[in-house]
Amino acid sequence: MKRVTINDIAKELKVTPSTVSRALAGNTRVSVKTRELVAAKAKEMGYQQNVIASALRKGKSDTIGMVVPRINRHFFSHVISGVEEILNPAGYSLVICQSGESFLKEQKAIDMLLANQVGGIIISLSEKTKCFDHLQKLVDRNIPLVQFDRVHNEISCSKILNDNFNGAYLATKHLIKSGYKRIGHVGGSQSLKAYRERYLGYSKAIEEEGLPVDSALVYTDAITRESGYNTAIKALSSVKPDALFCAGDYCALGVIDALKEKNISVPDEFGVVGFANEPFAELMAPTLSSVEQNGFEMGTRVASAMIKDIEGKYKEEVEVIPTRLIVRESSWNK
Amino acid sequence: MKRVTINDIAKELKVTPSTVSRALAGNTRVSVKTRELVAAKAKEMGYQQNVIASALRKGKSDTIGMVVPRINRHFFSHVISGVEEILNPAGYSLVICQSGESFLKEQKAIDMLLANQVGGIIISLSEKTKCFDHLQKLVDRNIPLVQFDRVHNEISCSKILNDNFNGAYLATKHLIKSGYKRIGHVGGSQSLKAYRERYLGYSKAIEEEGLPVDSALVYTDAITRESGYNTAIKALSSVKPDALFCAGDYCALGVIDALKEKNISVPDEFGVVGFANEPFAELMAPTLSSVEQNGFEMGTRVASAMIKDIEGKYKEEVEVIPTRLIVRESSWNK
DNA sequence: GCGAAGTGTGCAAACGATTGTATTTTTGTA
DNA sequence: TACAAAAATACAATCGTTTGCACACTTCGC
């Protein structure tokens, strides 16, 4: 069964393909009558535009590429949903790639998207990304780019951010108010602004309350469950904190694993707060206090910024989405 | 900055674009010397194939489309990782779409993928899909198709399945052995084979143990957290089961919500087993017994089947991936 | 009733890669 | 050396759309 092309429609209607193309695009240079005729015939014959041919000719497509570290993170999957919410009705489609926190895979994903002539790229950087040439290339080639959450500031494009600073600040403040005395921080790679800000929010709160800022209490390797566990084990046998503010929930989970193993009671002897409010946070035992990010709203903002960029409206918007502290058992000290 | 095309390379090397094209494709009709020359020049000039032009000419691309209900389900995101594991090294790239359990979005996603001339489509059906014309269209058009997990049998294509029957059978058997007497089932849409099989495994186990098969104990609306809650509330005030085997973990979660609300102790008074082994299953309180599906392996099998289909090796493979019961607190009756 | 706008279509050349066929060059052999 | 066979490359059409330009026809003012 052959696909129907505009040439087929043109033949049937005894007009030229150019007219059909214009008619379908709603060009006012073709008369209303012809436009209706074409539309009807196209429907009748089951015409589907060949977006490949269109993209080749126009040099770009209505497909937007999106690169995220992992799609199975609560936050990212919600951002994706938010992006689809705006993009799909606007006639764009979305291609999703995972970098898996690997710089190489991130680069490859971008190359693939470029080879596919995507109309724009949305990205949240991998934790391992320390070089940003691949982003600069996009800017140089004039390809609409929007960064979100894990962004690099030096790249000139729209950026949609979480209020990491305030979330971390509130979380730490809350730990202090709950009576913990030696509050440490398990953070992510400091090359990412998002994690730097969480660290800054943490230290601001510590300073503000007149507590000693002890760099021995700050760890910034990775924020997986495993690294959280390892960090906690290490800290417990050396600097002995009595609370940890973690830059991620999986990391907090690992910390709690370690505390359980050492028979240290949460929250009585030790307080823990995470970040991201993963679904498991309210289900685990003890339930985990966490900083909530509004992924869906972020997604809608990201998509809007992308559309604006594509339409040439403007290119360098920076928006901050508020975060919110959710207090649960893991830091409920009395 | 203009993109480099094969014409540019051809000009530099004083050969024709055809030779360059063949050289890059590794065609033996062009001499080894020329091939090396072309490869070197291409690298030097930073050539990147325009897959759009290639897809237009060849009528298909090396992009594979994948449609899943939601990407943020543990199982699906692992299948996706497995698929990428095989597809990417083999030179294919993956486009992921979410149907969000909506039939309309599923159809639209397929249309979009078709319009993008994907080389094949991988799909796990939405719960609401009761009509399968969109899949038949793919078969008719000879587009490689692989269904997994939530499949429709009447469509002729490769299918990779979980051993739903056995998983459900083991789960139910386990509930019986643990001493529960009135074991109900909260299942998903029976139009999906996966859920029918879970039901069948359940009833096989019930019959085998000589328990009464009571259709009043079987619910098959949906398997969201909310529907699990509602079903449990309904069941508790009427047929009064003392255990429920749920076709999904979110659903089991809803059931436990209801039990907590009614102050019914799990597992002492009531046993619950879920399906899918979502990450939260081992973290919640009580920890949830569940049937584990090996999503990653399923993904690799799915991808292999797709590649075979594309290469014309064969088209109708059916594989079953084993499932495994993980017993945790929610059904640990002494 | 004549030129000037204005309106609706057609023509043809792109976009970049692929591929069947034709042509040239090289190789081997008598 | 000549000539056929084999190897390497060139030519040109094609995929389906888009779009600048040209052309025909209508409409209108003077």
Side-chain angles (χ1 to χ4, degrees):
Chain A
M1 200 170 22
K2 284 283 288 172
R3 287 178 70 111
V4 179
T5 72
I6 53 171
N7 301 294
D8 302 331
I9 301 181
K11 238 171 255 164
E12 288 273 317
L13 254 37
K14 304 202 190 312
V15 295
T16 57
S18 3
T19 303
V20 175
S21 173
R22 290 196 179 97
L24 290 171
N27 190 317
T28 51
R29 269 176 58 192
V30 4
S31 66
V32 180
K33 211 181 80 195
T34 314
R35 263 185 277 168
E36 281 168 355
L37 226 56
V38 169
K41 200 60 165 181
K43 188 162 201 177
E44 177 197 327
M45 299 177 69
Y47 170 76
Q48 261 200 315
Q49 194 203 36
N50 183 329
V51 293
I52 293 286
S54 170
L56 175 60
R57 171 64 226 237
K58 296 203 287 190
K60 63 169 189 170
S61 71
D62 287 340
T63 298
I64 307 297
M66 183 160 178
V67 186
V68 297
R70 332 200 88 99
I71 56 172
N72 63 344
R73 289 286 190 255
H74 183 243
F75 171 66
F76 288 120
S77 66
H78 278 249
V79 177
I80 291 171
S81 297
V83 168
E84 286 192 323
E85 183 84 3
I86 300 293
L87 241 38
N88 292 342
Y92 295 93
S93 48
L94 189 66
V95 174
I96 303 160
C97 304
Q98 302 190 73
S99 68
E101 303 284 13
S102 142
F103 176 52
L104 189 69
K105 283 190 76 180
E106 184 173 296
Q107 283 181 306
K108 281 201 168 179
I110 288 188
D111 280 346
M112 186 277 274
L113 293 171
L114 281 179
N116 279 283
Q117 315 268 119
V118 290
I121 291 184
I122 294 169
I123 192 168
S124 189
L125 296 172
S126 105
E127 224 176 78
K128 301 219 187 62
T129 301
K130 311 246 145 86
C131 156
F132 308 91
D133 295 350
H134 56 316
L135 298 187
Q136 192 54 51
K137 182 165 77 180
L138 298 178
V139 177
D140 293 344
R141 286 211 199 164
N142 242 320
I143 292 172
L145 173 67
V146 175
Q147 294 186 80
F148 73 95
D149 190 43
R150 282 146 62 156
V151 310
H152 183 65
N153 255 356
E154 310 309 312
I155 302 293
S156 141
C157 67
S158 287
K159 301 176 189 87
I160 318 289
L161 304 163
N162 277 306
D163 196 345
N164 289 291
F165 180 89
N166 196 241
Y169 173 81
L170 291 176
T172 311
K173 206 90 175 177
H174 154 71
L175 282 170
I176 299 169
K177 296 284 181 216
S178 299
Y180 299 105
K181 299 296 179 203
R182 281 180 67 73
I183 301 167
H185 173 52
V186 192
S189 162
Q190 295 296 299
S191 61
L192 289 177
K193 196 160 163 279
Y195 294 127
R196 273 204 310 280
E197 287 178 348
R198 291 180 199 177
Y199 166 69
L200 291 173
Y202 156 82
S203 48
K204 168 94 180 300
I206 295 285
E207 277 170 24
E208 223 176 78
E209 296 286 331
L211 289 176
V213 182
D214 184 349
S215 69
L217 285 168
V218 175
Y219 302 83
T220 58
D221 310 327
I223 53 162
T224 61
R225 183 172 184 175
E226 198 189 345
S227 72
Y229 172 85
N230 292 333
T231 301
I233 292 289
K234 193 164 33 165
L236 288 170
S237 66
S238 55
V239 290
K240 299 195 191 308
D242 67 350
L244 283 171
F245 162 57
C246 304
D249 281 347
Y250 282 90
C251 170
L253 184 52
V255 167
I256 289 178
D257 289 341
L259 293 167
K260 278 185 182 158
E261 191 181 299
K262 297 277 180 194
N263 273 314
I264 298 174
S265 149
V266 178
D268 297 337
E269 302 170 61
F270 204 106
V272 181
V273 177
F275 208 108
N277 194 30
E278 296 283 341
F280 66 75
E282 58 167 327
L283 302 171
M284 55 187 278
T287 55
L288 178 68
S289 301
S290 192
V291 176
E292 184 193 44
Q293 307 163 294
N294 193 336
F296 188 86
E297 184 180 349
M298 174 163 274
T300 60
R301 303 286 193 97
V302 165
S304 304
M306 173 53 73
I307 291 176
K308 272 182 192 154
D309 196 341
I310 290 176
E311 291 175 349
K313 298 275 177 59
Y314 51 91
K315 312 183 83 63
E316 264 196 80
E317 186 173 11
V318 175
E319 283 186 74
V320 176
I321 314 284
T323 49
R324 194 165 66 93
L325 174 66
I326 300 178
V327 176
R328 298 203 183 88
E329 291 166 5
S330 69
S331 62
W332 241 341
N333 206 358
K334 114 204 115 317
Chain B
M1 201 171 20
K2 282 282 288 172
R3 287 179 71 109
V4 179
T5 72
I6 54 169
N7 301 293
D8 302 331
I9 301 181
K11 238 173 253 163
E12 288 274 317
L13 255 33
K14 304 206 191 309
V15 296
T16 55
S18 5
T19 302
V20 175
S21 172
R22 290 199 174 93
L24 290 171
N27 190 316
T28 51
R29 267 175 58 188
V30 5
S31 66
V32 180
K33 214 182 77 192
T34 314
R35 264 185 276 169
E36 281 167 357
L37 226 58
V38 168
K41 199 57 153 186
K43 189 162 200 179
E44 177 198 326
M45 300 177 68
Y47 171 74
Q48 262 199 315
Q49 194 204 36
N50 184 329
V51 295
I52 293 288
S54 169
L56 175 59
R57 172 62 225 241
K58 295 205 287 191
K60 63 171 187 167
S61 72
D62 288 340
T63 298
I64 306 296
M66 183 160 176
V67 185
V68 296
R70 334 201 88 98
I71 56 172
N72 64 343
R73 289 285 189 257
H74 182 244
F75 171 66
F76 287 120
S77 67
H78 278 247
V79 177
I80 291 171
S81 297
V83 168
E84 285 192 323
E85 184 83 3
I86 300 293
L87 239 40
N88 291 343
Y92 295 93
S93 49
L94 190 67
V95 174
I96 302 160
C97 304
Q98 303 191 71
S99 68
E101 305 284 13
S102 141
F103 176 54
L104 190 69
K105 284 191 77 182
E106 184 173 295
Q107 283 180 305
K108 280 199 169 181
I110 288 188
D111 281 345
M112 185 277 271
L113 293 172
L114 280 180
N116 279 283
Q117 314 268 118
V118 290
I121 292 184
I122 294 169
I123 191 168
S124 189
L125 296 172
S126 106
E127 225 175 77
K128 300 219 188 64
T129 301
K130 311 247 145 86
C131 155
F132 307 91
D133 295 350
H134 55 318
L135 298 188
Q136 191 55 50
K137 182 165 74 180
L138 298 177
V139 177
D140 292 345
R141 287 211 200 166
N142 242 320
I143 293 171
L145 173 66
V146 175
Q147 294 186 78
F148 73 95
D149 190 45
R150 281 147 62 158
V151 310
H152 183 64
N153 256 355
E154 310 308 313
I155 302 293
S156 140
C157 67
S158 286
K159 301 174 188 92
I160 318 291
L161 304 164
N162 278 306
D163 196 345
N164 290 292
F165 180 87
N166 196 240
Y169 173 80
L170 291 176
T172 310
K173 206 91 175 177
H174 155 71
L175 283 170
I176 297 169
K177 296 286 180 213
S178 300
Y180 299 104
K181 300 296 179 202
R182 282 179 66 75
I183 301 168
H185 173 53
V186 192
S189 163
Q190 295 295 301
S191 61
L192 288 177
K193 196 160 162 281
Y195 293 128
R196 271 204 312 278
E197 287 177 349
R198 292 181 198 177
Y199 166 68
L200 291 173
Y202 156 82
S203 48
K204 169 94 179 302
I206 295 285
E207 277 171 22
E208 223 174 80
E209 296 286 331
L211 289 177
V213 182
D214 185 350
S215 69
L217 284 168
V218 175
Y219 301 83
T220 59
D221 309 329
I223 53 162
T224 61
R225 183 172 185 176
E226 198 189 345
S227 72
Y229 172 85
N230 292 334
T231 301
I233 293 289
K234 194 165 35 168
L236 288 169
S237 67
S238 55
V239 290
K240 298 195 194 308
D242 67 351
L244 282 172
F245 163 57
C246 304
D249 281 348
Y250 282 91
C251 170
L253 183 54
V255 167
I256 289 179
D257 288 341
L259 293 167
K260 278 184 181 159
E261 190 181 299
K262 295 279 181 193
N263 273 315
I264 299 174
S265 151
V266 177
D268 299 337
E269 302 171 61
F270 203 106
V272 181
V273 177
F275 208 108
N277 193 32
E278 296 284 341
F280 66 75
E282 59 167 327
L283 302 171
M284 54 188 277
T287 57
L288 178 66
S289 301
S290 192
V291 176
E292 185 192 44
Q293 307 164 293
N294 193 335
F296 188 87
E297 185 181 348
M298 173 164 275
T300 61
R301 306 285 194 95
V302 165
S304 304
M306 172 53 73
I307 291 177
K308 274 184 193 154
D309 196 341
I310 289 176
E311 292 175 348
K313 297 276 176 58
Y314 52 89
K315 314 183 80 65
E316 263 196 80
E317 189 173 8
V318 175
E319 282 186 74
V320 177
I321 314 285
T323 48
R324 193 165 66 92
L325 173 66
I326 299 177
V327 176
R328 298 200 184 90
E329 291 165 6
S330 69
S331 62
W332 239 343
N333 205 358
K334 117 200 94 330

